[in-house]
Amino acid sequence: MASRYAPRTVLAHLIQRRNQTYSEIVAEFVELGGTITERHLRRLASGERAGTTPQTRRTLQRMFGKPVEELLAPYVPEQAAQVVPAPAASGRITTGNEMEVLDMAASRARAFALAAQTGLGSEAMEQVYDDVRHVAKAYPQRPLPEILGQLVETQDLVFALLESRQRPEHLRQLYFLGGVTGGLLAKASHDLGNPHAALTQARTAFLCADNADHHGLRAWVRGLQSLVSYWAGNPHDSVRYAQLGAGYAEQANSTTSVWLPVSEARAWAALGNPDATRAALERAENAWASVRNDELDEMGGLCTFGRNRQLYYAADALAWLPGEMETAERYSNQAVDAYTDQSHPEWAFGDAAGSHAAMAITRIASGELDGAADALAPVLGLPAERRINGVVHSARRVHQALRQSGRADDARELQEEIEMFTRTPIQSFPR
């Protein structure tokens, strides 16, 4: 039976009132179509975790009859609520959304497949790969609030599997997936404006990459550390991380061998070094001759680096340098064109926004203030859930370019629009 400790959350109190173990709650949760590990449930009940997927929120509400926000709130004894029994698992699901029903059925099948094996089998391993691959592909294209809960739960699952006894042949694969999920959460922490948490996740991801002995994953994590440092205003660190990953990228010959030098170019440009910027951009272009996709590239999405992103990074880098505006304009035009098709596998809303910001900066340098406003309009139209850290900083760079142009009075309206945009970055997400 559940131990009688002082509950920290309403959820913990309600579990105690049911007089059930956490494993029994998890089993009931699965019967209702949800997917959750006992470890994750304990963390939710203890108040250590708040991130959940929409499906988890729906299932918890069905089980306990309360919104997740109320379930995860601190427990106050005099406000104790009565337990609402969960609907019978055999009852008909009526959500009005057939895709949600199918997602719930798939999640139930996934939970059964993982729980039904004493040791992780090939089918279960493939399922975990699919979970990580799905999040990696979705990350650049969907708002972070929609996928963060799933990403957290996927990392929790991978870590729980690593902490249990597994067959030796599966350990490397699980460490690889742990590195990928850690890297994705590093990006998520960065996108929410928390570079400290981002670098903490990245260090753990690098440890997993070491345990997996995967050069491409090591290089990719170094690329993430370079990215976080660049947007945090630490270009010297950004250069250092990109250079630390270069040796791994050379051995992997994956798309990280393009990403790292073009990341280094951005940092050199922020430091005002045009020669080092051009040299790094040239190394990135030359690297394509030896690129062959590895296991990480095949994950897709944020785990690989394509030519569209290369165009954006080059435009972003050269936009720092007053003497390179003509080249920056060419790259930014190409990048904006490349991100026009939202159905393209490489499309990413953050990189598309950055490309438009770089175009706006080149137009400001040419005295085309109306053209700059047109270029930035798609960025300023982004909803709050897509105003991630890099997008907000890109908009601020346009604001800075306007201040330095000597025509700030003529661009007052655009400056005010940027200021309003940057006052409402992505700050919270549904729980």
Side-chain angles (χ1 to χ4, degrees), residues 59-74:
T59 308
L60 285 172
Q61 184 166 341
R62 290 181 66 196
M63 290 183 70
F64 296 99
K66 295 178 179 295
V68 169
E69 291 80 5
E70 186 175 341
L71 291 173
L72 301 186

Side-chain angles (χ1 to χ4, degrees), residues 362-391:
T362 65
R363 290 181 176 179
I364 291 168
S366 301
E368 302 175 29
L369 296 187
D370 289 341
D374 290 341
L376 199 62
V379 180
L380 300 180
L382 288 173
E385 62 267 22
R386 293 198 171 191
R387 298 178 191 179
I388 56 177
N389 192 37
V391 170

Side-chain angles (χ1 to χ4, degrees), residues 164-178:
S164 61
R165 182 174 296 179
Q166 298 296 339
R167 299 171 184 171
E169 64 267 24
H170 288 148
L171 280 177
R172 179 201 165 275
Q173 294 172 298
L174 287 170
Y175 274 119
F176 170 78
L177 294 175

Side-chain angles (χ1 to χ4, degrees), residues 200-366:
T200 298
Q201 287 282 359
R203 292 184 192 103
T204 301
F206 194 85
L207 173 66
C208 288
D210 267 345
N211 286 332
D213 194 21
H214 198 288
H215 293 313
L217 184 56
R218 290 183 178 110
W220 182 69
V221 175
R222 291 303 190 208
L224 288 168
Q225 291 171 313
S226 179
L227 179 150
V228 171
S229 299
Y230 172 73
W231 289 114
N234 301 313
H236 287 288
D237 283 345
S238 183
V239 169
R240 179 172 63 86
Y241 281 124
Q243 292 177 344
L244 282 172
Y248 300 123
E250 184 178 350
Q251 294 179 76
N253 282 327
S254 63
T255 60
T256 59
S257 61
V258 180
W259 187 27
L260 287 169
V262 81
S263 297
E264 184 182 339
R266 292 204 304 184
W268 282 125
L271 290 167
N273 190 328
D275 292 337
T277 300
R278 286 190 292 267
L281 289 175
E282 184 176 356
R283 290 200 310 276
E285 181 60 35
N286 293 338
W288 283 116
S290 58
V291 165
R292 59 177 184 272
N293 286 357
D294 68 354
E295 181 183 19
L296 183 64
D297 284 313
E298 290 173 0
M299 285 278 178
L302 201 64
C303 292
T304 190
F305 191 87
R307 285 194 176 271
N308 290 357
R309 289 179 72 192
Q310 182 189 9
L311 291 171
Y312 155 56
Y313 271 57
D316 189 49
L318 295 170
W320 284 100
L321 304 172
E324 298 289 340
M325 281 301 145
E326 183 176 343
T327 309
E329 181 179 12
R330 185 173 71 251
Y331 273 112
S332 66
N333 287 337
Q334 292 174 352
V336 167
D337 288 343
Y339 284 107
T340 299
D341 183 5
Q342 296 190 16
S343 66
H344 194 283
E346 286 189 37
W347 185 80
F349 71 85
D351 295 343
S355 302
H356 277 275
M359 175 184 282
I361 292 172
T362 65
R363 290 181 176 179
I364 291 168
S366 301

